[in-house]
Amino acid sequence: MMMVNKPLVLTYLYLLIYVLLSSGVILYNKWVLSPKYFNFPFPITLTMIHMGFSGAVAFFLIRVFKVVSPVKMTLEIYITCVVPISAFFAASLWFGNTAYLYISVAFIQMLKALMPVATFIMAVMCGTDKGRCDVFSNMLLVSVGVVISSYGEIHFNGVGTLYQVTGIFAEALRLVLTQVLLQKKGLTLNPITSLYYIAPCSFVFLCAPWYVLEKPGMEVSQIQFNFWIFFSNALCALALNFSIFLVIGRTGAVTIRVAGVLKDWILIALSTVIFPESTITGLNIIGYAIALCGVVMYNYLKVKDVRASQLPESIPDRMTKDWKLEKKSSDIFTPKNSSDNTGGGGGGNMNSSSDTNVDEEAPLISSRLSHVGRTQLSK
């Protein structure tokens, strides 16, 4: 009788849940915002509902139920790090959700292939990455693919495209700032602690544009506010965030990226079925395939760079490391060391030097760690 590898099955189950939830949240947001369906054309309001709900749940998980422990956050770190990150986080969600009002889900997913390009540009500008010819050629290939895909878009809308591209660059800058500001201070936020610190601040940043752009329209228009629709929408977004937390804990960056590519193709296909107006042309597919080739090559170069930087250990070093591991495992059962685990399961794991913390994708890996916002809420 064949033995079942339960950890492997569980990993694939988590990946499947992530793909389904990520696709479902994007389609759900489109359905809620689109004037042709639920007709709630207020993307800032929807984003604020997500932020408020997620922040409240994170507060209860950390302060009441103590599922994970909060990090050591000082006022100086909060003002200089969390506030600017939250500002760009709010901007990326605002612009990304607004794009649903103008362009199709399929075309939005194709434009998201620009994410590595935007992140690379921002990383070079902020000094966290260096301009290289091989990476630049990949970024050029991605850009050409997206341009071809845009040219083949039947219902092309300049305003929606501008919103989406602006949201992508805001998200890229947020990711780079996360690396520059938080990681250099030794802080690592998992999805739950990210929600706890960033969601309330992002909510505050969204208040000003909401008051100017959406509040007047909500006062004069006959909007339908169905509690269960918005509650289930926010709950799905929160569940997506938790699924990312589970996937990160069981897989590496490359696996997550492959799952993300698979999700994009599934989403493009599903969107054409659920939303008949989302017409895909041959030029769309060709352009997107070209862009994906550039993304795959970029990811390969990043992984190759990381592996090249990892020097093989000498035998004495390896013996010393094994001895330390053995000593550490024996210390687990020593009562006097029990106080070392006060960091909590989730928070402690995220600060360890496990494979999930290896920066295989440069700043891109933190897009999954703190997608808390973007994958979770606006997609």
Side-chain angles (χ1 to χ4, degrees):
M1 186 175 177
M2 194 166 105
M3 295 291 293
V4 178
N5 190 333
K6 289 184 178 180
L8 185 62
V9 171
L10 199 58
T11 298
Y12 282 114
L13 178 62
Y14 287 160
L15 283 171
L16 178 62
I17 292 173
Y18 157 71
V19 170
L20 292 177
L21 282 173
S22 181
S23 303
V25 169
I26 293 172
L27 295 172
Y28 203 168
N29 282 357
K30 172 67 175 179
W31 181 82
V32 169
L33 293 169
S34 177
K36 295 182 179 180
Y37 299 97
F38 187 71
N39 191 23
F40 186 79
F42 302 103
I44 302 176
T45 305
L46 183 65
T47 305
M48 291 176 71
I49 291 173
H50 286 170
M51 291 286 94
F53 181 77
S54 299
V57 171
F59 175 84
F60 279 101
L61 288 176
I62 291 177
R63 292 299 182 185
V64 179
F65 300 106
K66 303 188 184 301
V67 175
V68 296
S69 299
V71 300
K72 294 181 179 179
M73 181 71 65
T74 64
L75 181 61
E76 184 264 336
I77 292 177
Y78 191 86
I79 293 175
T80 60
C81 299
V82 174
V83 170
I85 290 172
S86 300
F88 286 104
F89 182 39
S92 68
L93 296 175
W94 168 18
F95 294 130
N97 278 338
T98 304
Y100 288 124
L101 298 176
Y102 301 95
I103 53 182
S104 67
V105 171
F107 187 47
I108 285 175
Q109 294 307 119
M110 295 176 189
L111 288 175
K112 285 176 185 175
L114 285 172
M115 191 65 202
V117 179
T119 307
F120 176 69
I121 292 173
M122 292 302 176
V124 172
M125 290 176 61
C126 294
T128 61
D129 205 345
K130 296 179 181 178
R132 291 164 39 185
C133 291
D134 53 353
V135 176
F136 179 77
S137 61
N138 289 337
M139 299 299 97
L140 187 62
L141 185 63
V142 172
S143 302
V144 169
V146 172
V147 169
I148 293 173
S149 181
S150 301
Y151 185 77
E153 176 66 17
I154 295 177
H155 305 292
F156 180 82
N157 185 289
V159 175
T161 303
L162 182 61
Y163 269 119
Q164 183 59 43
V165 173
T166 304
I168 289 171
F169 274 89
E171 172 71 358
L173 186 54
R174 181 189 69 82
L175 296 178
V176 175
L177 285 177
T178 300
Q179 185 184 38
V180 172
L181 299 178
L182 286 182
Q183 293 179 9
K184 285 190 176 180
K185 292 183 181 292
L187 289 178
T188 305
L189 301 179
N190 63 46
I192 299 177
T193 52
S194 293
L195 286 172
Y196 178 72
Y197 292 108
I198 295 176
C201 190
S202 297
F203 182 92
V204 173
F205 273 111
L206 289 169
C207 287
W210 172 82
Y211 186 83
V212 175
L213 299 175
E214 293 190 358
K215 184 176 180 292
M218 296 178 74
E219 290 175 346
V220 298
S221 62
Q222 300 259 333
I223 63 170
Q224 49 178 333
F225 191 91
N226 187 312
F227 171 80
W228 293 110
I229 291 292
F230 291 103
F231 175 74
S232 60
N233 182 257
L235 194 62
C236 287
L238 189 66
L240 171 61
N241 186 72
F242 291 153
S243 73
I244 295 169
F245 189 36
L246 293 174
V247 168
I248 288 171
R250 302 189 68 91
T251 64
V254 176
T255 306
I256 296 172
R257 296 302 254 165
V258 171
V261 172
L262 176 64
K263 181 260 302 182
D264 289 341
W265 282 107
I266 293 174
L267 198 49
I268 289 172
L270 279 177
S271 66
T272 59
V273 177
I274 298 175
F275 305 109
E277 68 274 12
S278 300
T279 307
I280 299 178
T281 65
L283 209 53
N284 280 143
I285 299 298
I286 293 172
Y288 187 54
I290 293 173
L292 276 185
C293 288
V295 172
V296 170
M297 290 170 64
Y298 171 78
N299 290 337
Y300 170 75
L301 286 174
K302 285 298 178 182
V303 173
K304 185 179 177 183
D305 289 344
V306 170
R307 288 176 178 172
S309 65
Q310 293 174 344
L311 298 176
E313 293 179 320
S314 63
I315 294 178
D317 290 341
R318 184 64 194 172
M319 291 176 64
T320 303
K321 186 175 181 180
D322 289 342
W323 177 82
K324 288 180 179 179
L325 287 174
E326 290 176 5
K327 186 177 185 302
K328 184 177 180 181
S329 63
S330 65
D331 287 345
I332 292 176
F333 302 98
T334 305
K336 66 180 181 180
N337 289 330
S338 62
S339 61
D340 295 337
N341 297 325
T342 56
N349 289 340
M350 296 306 295
N351 289 326
S352 67
S353 56
S354 62
D355 292 339
T356 56
N357 286 329
V358 175
D359 194 12
E360 291 180 349
E361 311 277 342
L364 288 175
I365 183 58
S366 58
S367 69
R368 296 297 177 190
L369 290 174
S370 47
H371 230 356
V372 28
R374 167 141 179 102
T375 302
Q376 156 206 340
L377 304 170
S378 62
K379 302 189 181 54

